[in-house]
């Protein structure tokens, strides 16, 4: 017969206590794991500015399956932070890290920059939020930013990129988004702009990019280069490979870059298969040093100069008549 007291009676309260203890134990183990992960990712010991006080200023937490980053908010001296390849959607715990100079948040779940603590990072010079879920750049600020990488998102339109807010920005990458136009870049100090693998059909607003040296437009949908302008007086490298340029007339706007352009990449456009395009381009841009991967030969340059002289002579004859 059953003897009372040898087997504890079942009760919902005791079950709940067991579950609570198990949950606390799991959370404790998780907290310990996060602490150890953070400690393992710390490096680069530097002085903090307070006499002999030192702190780690670099933290690498990429590929850690993190969903939140609350645990790192107390590491206020961090200057270089890599959070790539996690599941992070909220960057607000980073707000106390006002010393940040370099921040990489690639391949996470950030859907918006609005409400994120970017305004707190007054010293941030390098920022990459590539391969997230951004559809716009609302909330983006960066008074000290020099490099900004937003490739691999779903951004459809550029607005708010003004020189007053991004005076130091020199490199901007927006590859593999959903842009249809180049409008929206009011960045006179920008030097390099990468817009490959979008859906760009129109070149607009480029007159504000006065110091731009590199413009990368590979794999878009351009049928013409109308929109290039003389204000782009610093442009040396133009990549329009893999677009839809089919006729020589579509290249006429290249004349406006005569004083600066040194390299033109035009391969994988229909015009390459229908025209002897190198001589035509050299007549428009006799100062070019390279078309695609090929350096301009002395023979090509001589023939282009001869064609230009003949064209001018013919024009003068018609004018006198």
């Amino acid at each position: 017969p059953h003897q009372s007291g040898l087997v504890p009676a079942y009760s919902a309260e005791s079950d709940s206590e067991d579950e609570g203890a198990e949950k606390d134990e799991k959370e404790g183990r998780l907290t310990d794991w996060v602490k150890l992960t953070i400690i393992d990712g710390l490096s680069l010991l530097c002085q903090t500015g307070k006499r002999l006080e030192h702190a780690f200023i670099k933290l690498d937490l990429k590929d850690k399956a993190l969903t939140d980053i609350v645990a790192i908010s107390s590491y206020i001296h961090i200057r270089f932070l890599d959070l790539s390849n996690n599941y992070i959607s909220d960057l607000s715990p980073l707000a106390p890290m006002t010393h940040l100079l370099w921040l990489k948040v690639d391949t996470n779940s950030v859907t918006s920059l609005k409400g994120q603590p970017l305004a707190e990072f007054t010293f941030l010079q390098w920022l990459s939020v590539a391969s997230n879920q951004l559809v716009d750049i609302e909330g983006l600020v960066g008074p000290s930013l020099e490099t900004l990488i937003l490739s691999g998102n779903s951004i459809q339109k550029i607005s708010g990129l003004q020189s007053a807010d991004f005076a130091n920005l020199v490199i901007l990458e927006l590859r593999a988004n959903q842009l249809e136009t180049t409008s929206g870049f009011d960045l006179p100090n920008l030097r390099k702009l990468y817009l490959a693998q979008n859906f760009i059909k129109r070149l607009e607003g480029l007159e504000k990019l006065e110091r731009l040296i590199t413009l990368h437009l590979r794999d878009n949908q351009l049928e013409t280069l109308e929109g290039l302008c003389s204000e782009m007086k610093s442009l040396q490298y133009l990549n329009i490979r893999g677009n839809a340029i089919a006729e020589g007339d579509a290249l006429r706007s290249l004349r406006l870059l005569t004083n600066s352009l040194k390299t033109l990449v035009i391969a994988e456009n229909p015009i390459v298969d229908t025209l002897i395009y190198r001589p035509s381009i050299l007549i428009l841009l006799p100062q070019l040093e390279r078309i695609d991967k090929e350096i301009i030969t002395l023979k090509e340059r001589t023939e282009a100069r001869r064609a230009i002289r003949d064209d001018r002579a013919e024009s003068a004859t018609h004018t006198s008549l």
Side-chain angles (χ1 to χ4, degrees), residues 300-319:
E300 286 180 308
R301 198 175 300 282
T302 302
E303 290 177 353
R305 287 171 179 166
R306 185 183 300 118
I308 292 170
R309 285 197 302 269
D310 292 346
D311 184 55
R312 287 174 179 170
E314 186 177 347
S315 297
T317 301
H318 285 300
T319 301

Side-chain angles (χ1 to χ4, degrees), residues 281-298:
I281 292 171
L282 270 178
I283 290 171
L284 292 171
L285 296 166
Q287 86 291 348
L288 271 184
E289 297 177 0
R290 189 186 298 267
I291 297 176
D292 295 328
K293 296 181 180 180
E294 303 292 330
I295 295 175
I296 304 300
T297 65
L298 179 59

Side-chain angles (χ1 to χ4, degrees), residues 57-212:
I57 64 168
K58 185 176 181 180
L59 178 55
D60 185 346
L61 291 175
K62 62 177 179 290
D63 298 307
K64 302 300 181 184
L66 298 174
T67 55
D68 72 69
I69 47 177
V70 173
I72 68 174
S73 60
S74 60
Y75 291 82
I76 60 173
H77 296 292
I78 296 298
R79 298 177 196 172
F80 305 92
L81 177 60
D82 190 347
L83 295 169
S84 301
N85 303 321
N86 286 290
Y87 303 98
I88 301 162
S89 59
D90 181 19
L91 302 178
S92 61
L94 302 182
M97 295 185 175
T98 56
H99 295 285
L100 275 174
L101 300 175
W102 190 97
L103 175 60
K104 188 175 184 180
V105 200
D106 293 0
T107 318
N108 275 282
S109 304
V110 179
T111 58
S112 175
L113 297 176
K114 190 176 181 181
Q116 303 289 2
L118 297 177
E120 306 298 324
F121 310 144
T122 54
F123 303 109
L124 191 66
Q125 298 174 19
W126 193 98
L127 172 64
S128 183
V129 197
S131 301
N132 277 265
Q133 300 170 25
L134 300 175
V135 295
D136 58 47
I137 59 171
E138 187 177 357
L140 180 62
V141 291
S144 299
L145 272 182
E146 296 177 4
T147 298
L148 173 61
I149 303 171
L150 298 169
S151 300
N153 283 283
S154 300
I155 299 168
Q156 301 174 1
K157 185 179 179 182
I158 296 300
S159 61
L161 279 179
Q162 301 174 351
S163 57
D165 299 319
F166 298 90
N168 294 302
L169 193 62
V170 293
I171 299 174
L172 175 57
E173 295 195 22
L174 279 155
R175 308 173 199 257
N177 276 278
Q178 297 180 17
L179 300 174
E180 295 186 2
T181 173
T182 56
S183 179
F185 300 101
D186 184 5
L187 299 166
N189 293 320
L190 196 68
R191 303 293 197 277
K192 297 182 179 182
L193 178 58
Y194 298 93
L195 299 173
Q197 296 177 304
N198 277 277
F199 302 95
I200 296 173
K201 302 173 183 176
R202 303 180 305 280
L203 299 179
E204 300 173 308
L206 297 177
E207 65 277 359
K208 296 176 181 177
L209 303 177
E210 299 173 3
R211 297 187 182 179
L212 196 68

Side-chain angles (χ1 to χ4, degrees), residues 223-263:
E223 296 181 3
T224 176
L225 297 181
E226 185 177 350
L228 294 176
C229 52
S230 57
E231 287 86 352
M232 303 175 75
K233 52 193 175 185
S234 302
L235 194 66
Q236 298 180 20
Y237 178 95
L238 175 61
N239 190 326
I240 50 172
R241 180 174 183 169
N243 277 269
I245 297 168
E247 300 179 2
D249 286 347
L251 301 175
R252 291 194 177 201
S253 296
L254 288 172
R255 288 184 184 272
L256 299 170
L257 307 177
T258 299
N259 295 326
S260 62
L261 200 66
K262 295 179 179 179
T263 299

